[in-house]
C-alpha cells in the first residue's frame, strides 16, 4: 500500500513537471529575430577577400535618406548616389587580383558565391557599376575564412561604396572585395548588432532600412544623385566607372505618364524612364504582371525628379492587357549573374530569360468602345529620394537642365487599349516601410496574355433579328 501511494505521488510530480515544461516552451514559440551585423563606412572587415590597405574602394560620408518603402527596385531613380571625384571603386585592381594565379583559391570561392565560373570573372566585373549607398542597406555579406566564403546578414551604412549588377542589385563591397547577395530574410524581424569597431552611426534609424530587389529589365544606365551636391544628378552608363558621366538638374519637373492598363513591372519602368519612382499600397509590392488601374497623382501632374507615384493595381488579375509593355519583354539575362536570393516576383539576373510579350488585342465591330482611361483624383504625394535619368554624355560638361535619361532601355509606344479595362480603384498614397519580406528565390512567372473575347458581326435577318447583347436594339423596315 505505501508503495502504491509513493508511485502515485511520483506520477503526479512528473505530470506537473511536464505541464510546466509545455507552458514554458509555448511561451517561447514566437518567430526568432534574424541576427544582422552592422557594417559602418570606413571600418575594415575582419576577414576580407581583398587587402583593404591597398585602396580598392573609398567610402564617403552620406546621411541615410528616408525611403518611401523598405523594398526598393534596383532601377529606382536616386536609390544610389555618385560623385564627380575620381574612382570610388578600382574595378581594374580587383580584376587583376582575382585573375592572379596566386589568388586562385579566393577567386574560385568568390565566383562560387556569385554563381559564375572563375573564367567569367573579368567579363562579369566589366558589367558592374560603382555607386555609393544613399540608404542603410540590408544585404547578405560574405567573409573569407579558412579557404571558404562565410555568409552573414549585414546592414551596410549609407556612404559605403559598392558595385551593382545590371539589375541594380548590390554585388561587391568595394573596400574589401567581399561578394554581396540580396538580403533573404524578413526585414521587419531583425536584430542589428554593432560590434568589432562598427559603432552605431549618427542618423541610424531602424525605420529607414532598405533591401533591394532586381529591376524588371536590364539597366542601361543608372540615375544617381551627387552626394556632394544633391541639386545635381549623375547619369552613369552601366558598366562604366565615371568617365562617361553626364550631369542633370534634379529639380527639373517631369509629367506623370499615363500607365493605366499596363502591367505593374512595365509601368514602374515607364516611371523610372521619366525619372519618377513607383510606390504601391499597404499590401506590399504586387506581381509584375498585375494590371495597373490608375496612379496618384494623375497623368500629366508635374513632379520633381525622384518623387513617388503610387500605382493602384488589380491584384486578382495575372497580367495587364490594356496598353502594351514599356519594353515588351522581360530583361534578358546578364551572363554569369545569379538568381538573387532576396528577390520576389522578379526575373533572375542569370539563367534563361523568360520573355512575355503580349500582342495588341484586336476588337471586333460588335465590341463596345473602351472607356476613357481616366485616373482617380490626385492627392498630395510625399517626395522620394531624388534620383537621375538621361542627358547628353559629356564628362566635364556644365550642369544643365536637360531632362534626365531613362534608367534603362527606352519604352516603346503602347499598343491600343483593350475594349475592357480592370475596375478603377483609388490608390493608397502610402507604401509599407519594412514589412515586405525578401524571399529566398525569385518567382518568375509569365503574365497571362488574356485576349479579349471577340465575336464576328451578327448577320441579322431583315424580317426578324435578335439584338446582340450589349448593343442597342435596331428596327429594320
Amino acid at each position: 500500500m505505501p508503495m502504491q501511494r509513493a508511485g502515485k505521488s511520483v506520477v503526479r510530480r512528473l505530470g506537473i513537471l511536464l505541464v510546466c515544461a509545455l507552458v514554458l516552451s509555448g511561451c517561447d514559440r514566437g518567430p526568432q529575430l534574424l541576427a544582422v551585423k552592422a557594417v559602418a563606412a570606413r571600418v575594415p572587415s575582419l576577414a576580407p577577400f581583398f587587402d583593404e590597405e591597398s585602396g580598392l574602394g573609398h567610402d564617403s560620408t552620406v546621411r541615410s535618406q528616408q525611403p518611401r518603402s523598405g523594398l526598393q527596385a534596383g532601377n529606382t531613380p536616386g536609390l544610389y548616389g555618385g560623385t564627380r571625384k575620381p574612382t570610388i571603386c578600382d574595378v581594374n585592381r580587383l580584376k587583376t587580383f582575382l585573375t592572379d594565379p596566386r589568388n586562385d583559391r579566393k577567386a574560385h570561392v568568390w565566383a562560387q558565391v556569385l554563381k559564375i565560373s572563375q573564367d567569367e570573372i573579368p567579363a562579369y566585373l566589366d558589367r558592374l557599376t560603382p555607386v555609393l549607398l544613399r540608404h542603410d542597406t540590408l544585404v547578405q555579406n560574405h567573409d573569407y575564412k579558412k579557404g571558404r566564403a562565410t555568409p552573414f546578414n549585414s546592414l551596410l551604412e549609407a556612404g559605403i561604396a559598392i558595385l551593382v549588377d545590371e539589375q541594380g542589385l548590390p554585388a561587391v563591397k568595394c573596400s574589401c572585395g567581399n561578394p554581396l547577395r540580396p538580403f533573404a530574410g524578413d526585414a521587419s524581424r531583425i536584430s542589428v548588432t554593432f560590434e568589432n569597431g562598427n559603432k552605431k552611426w549618427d542618423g541610424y534609424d531602424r525605420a529607414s532600412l532598405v533591401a533591394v530587389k532586381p529591376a524588371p529589365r536590364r539597366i542601361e544606365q543608372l540615375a544617381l544623385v551627387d552626394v556632394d551636391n544633391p541639386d545635381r544628378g549623375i547619369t552613369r552608363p552601366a558598366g562604366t566607372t565615371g568617365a562617361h558621366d553626364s550631369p542633370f538638374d534634379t529639380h527639373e519637373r517631369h509629367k506623370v505618364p499615363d500607365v493605366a492598363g499596363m502591367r505593374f513591372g512595365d509601368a514602374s519602368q515607364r516611371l523610372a524612364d521619366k525619372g519618377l519612382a513607383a510606390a504601391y499600397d499597404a499590401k506590399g509590392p504586387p506581381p509584375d504582371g498585375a494590371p495597373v488601374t490608375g496612379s496618384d497623382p494623375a497623368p500629366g501632374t508635374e513632379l520633381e525628379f525622384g518623387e513617388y507615384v503610387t500605382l493602384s493595381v488589380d491584384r486578382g488579375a495575372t497580367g495587364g492587357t490594356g496598353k502594351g509593355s514599356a519594353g515588351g519583354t522581360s530583361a534578358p539575362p546578364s551572363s554569369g549573374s545569379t538568381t538573387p536570393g532576396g528577390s520576389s516576383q522578379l526575373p533572375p539576373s542569370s539563367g534563361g530569360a523568360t520573355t512575355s510579350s503580349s500582342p495588341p488585342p484586336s476588337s471586333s465591330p460588335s465590341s463596345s468602345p473602351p472607356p476613357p482611361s481616366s485616373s482617380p483624383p490626385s492627392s498630395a504625394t510625399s517626395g522620394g529620394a531624388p534620383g537621375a535619368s538621361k542627358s547628353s554624355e559629356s564628362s566635364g560638361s556644365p550642369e544643365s537642365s536637360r531632362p534626365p535619361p531613362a534608367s534603362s532601355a527606352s519604352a516603346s509606344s503602347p499598343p491600343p487599349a483593350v475594349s475592357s479595362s480592370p475596375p478603377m480603384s483609388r490608390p493608397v498614397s502610402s507604401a509599407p516601410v519594412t514589412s515586405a519580406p525578401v524571399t529566398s528565390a525569385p518567382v518568375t512567372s509569365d503574365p497571362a496574355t488574356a485576349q479579349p473575347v471577340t465575336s464576328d458581326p451578327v448577320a441579322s435577318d431583315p424580317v426578324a433579328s435578335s439584338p446582340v447583347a450589349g448593343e442597342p436594339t435596331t428596327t429594320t423596315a
Side-chain angles (χ1 to χ4, degrees):
M1 197 70 175
M3 293 294 294
Q4 187 176 2
R5 291 177 181 174
K8 289 181 179 180
S9 178
V10 171
V11 170
R12 286 196 194 98
R13 291 177 183 176
L14 290 175
I16 293 172
L17 291 174
L18 180 60
V19 170
C20 292
L22 291 174
V23 170
L24 291 175
S25 63
C27 293
D28 195 33
R29 283 183 180 176
Q32 298 296 317
L33 295 179
L34 193 63
V36 174
K37 296 180 181 180
V39 176
R42 300 189 180 91
V43 175
S45 172
L46 295 180
F49 271 76
F50 193 92
D51 181 12
E52 298 194 52
E53 297 296 329
S54 58
L56 175 65
H58 303 280
D59 298 337
S60 298
T61 301
V62 177
R63 187 174 182 84
S64 179
Q65 303 298 309
Q66 181 71 36
R68 179 66 177 270
S69 72
L71 186 62
Q72 296 281 326
N75 65 334
T76 302
L79 174 63
Y80 299 119
T83 178
R84 303 285 289 178
K85 296 176 182 177
T87 352
I88 59 173
C89 192
D90 196 335
V91 180
N92 288 331
R93 183 175 293 182
L94 179 59
K95 186 188 302 183
T96 300
F97 176 83
L98 291 173
T99 54
D100 189 329
R102 293 174 296 180
N103 302 316
D104 185 73
R105 178 60 186 172
K106 281 189 176 181
H108 178 73
V109 173
W110 191 91
Q112 277 186 325
V113 172
L114 296 167
K115 300 294 191 296
I116 61 175
S117 69
Q118 193 170 338
D119 294 336
E120 291 176 308
I121 289 177
Y124 177 75
L125 288 172
D126 287 340
R127 295 194 299 272
L128 302 183
T129 310
V131 299
L132 293 169
L133 294 178
R134 296 187 69 235
H135 305 274
D136 295 340
T137 305
L138 291 165
V139 297
Q140 186 186 63
N141 205 340
H142 297 80
D143 276 339
Y144 184 78
K145 296 179 179 179
K146 298 180 179 180
R148 295 185 179 183
T150 305
F152 63 98
N153 294 308
S154 176
L155 176 65
L156 303 183
E157 183 186 5
I160 288 179
I162 65 169
L163 293 171
V164 297
D165 67 12
E166 294 166 296
Q167 287 184 293
L169 294 173
V172 181
K173 185 174 182 291
C174 288
S175 63
C176 58
N178 289 4
L180 306 174
R181 300 310 300 142
F183 179 72
D186 183 355
S188 67
R189 296 199 57 82
I190 60 175
S191 175
V192 182
T193 58
F194 295 83
E195 56 188 11
N196 299 323
N198 297 285
K199 297 180 180 179
K200 187 176 294 186
W201 48 81
D202 292 337
Y204 168 75
D205 183 359
R206 172 69 179 272
S208 298
L209 311 186
V210 303
V212 183
K213 66 178 183 177
R217 295 203 306 268
R218 178 179 296 172
I219 297 174
E220 300 293 336
Q221 50 198 7
L222 284 91
L224 312 175
V225 172
D226 192 329
V227 297
D228 301 315
N229 180 9
D231 295 331
R232 179 173 58 190
I234 298 174
T235 298
R236 178 166 296 169
T240 64
T241 59
H244 302 287
D245 288 356
S246 54
F248 64 89
D249 182 5
T250 59
H251 295 295
E252 185 175 359
R253 303 182 75 83
H254 308 276
K255 290 184 178 181
V256 175
D258 184 5
V259 294
M262 296 176 62
R263 293 185 288 268
F264 177 79
D266 297 323
S268 60
Q269 183 62 58
R270 177 70 61 84
L271 290 173
D273 292 343
K274 296 291 185 180
L276 303 174
Y280 39 83
D281 59 30
K283 295 180 181 179
D288 274 358
V292 175
T293 59
S295 66
D296 181 17
T301 306
E302 293 188 349
L303 301 176
E304 284 192 0
F305 182 82
E307 289 193 275
Y308 283 88
V309 177
T310 302
L311 300 179
S312 54
V313 299
D314 180 6
R315 292 177 180 266
T318 55
T321 57
K323 302 176 184 178
S325 65
T329 61
S330 300
S334 53
S335 172
S337 293
T338 67
T339 300
S343 63
S344 78
Q345 301 159 343
L346 286 159
S349 58
S350 74
T354 304
T355 59
S356 57
S357 60
S358 173
S362 59
S363 59
S364 66
S366 63
S367 60
S368 57
S373 58
S374 61
S375 301
S378 64
S379 62
T381 60
S382 59
S389 260
K390 188 167 194 177
S391 56
S392 63
E393 185 178 293
S394 62
S395 57
S397 61
E399 300 176 21
S400 65
S401 60
R402 290 168 290 179
S407 59
S408 67
S410 59
S412 60
S413 59
V418 291
S419 58
S420 63
S421 61
M424 302 292 291
S425 62
R426 184 183 300 273
V428 180
S429 60
S430 64
V433 179
T434 57
S435 60
V438 184
T439 60
S440 59
V443 180
T444 58
S445 59
D446 297 338
T449 57
Q451 298 291 344
V453 179
T454 60
S455 59
D456 295 328
V458 179
S460 60
D461 191 276
V463 179
S465 62
S466 300
V468 180
E471 296 290 340
T473 304
T474 58
T475 309
T476 57

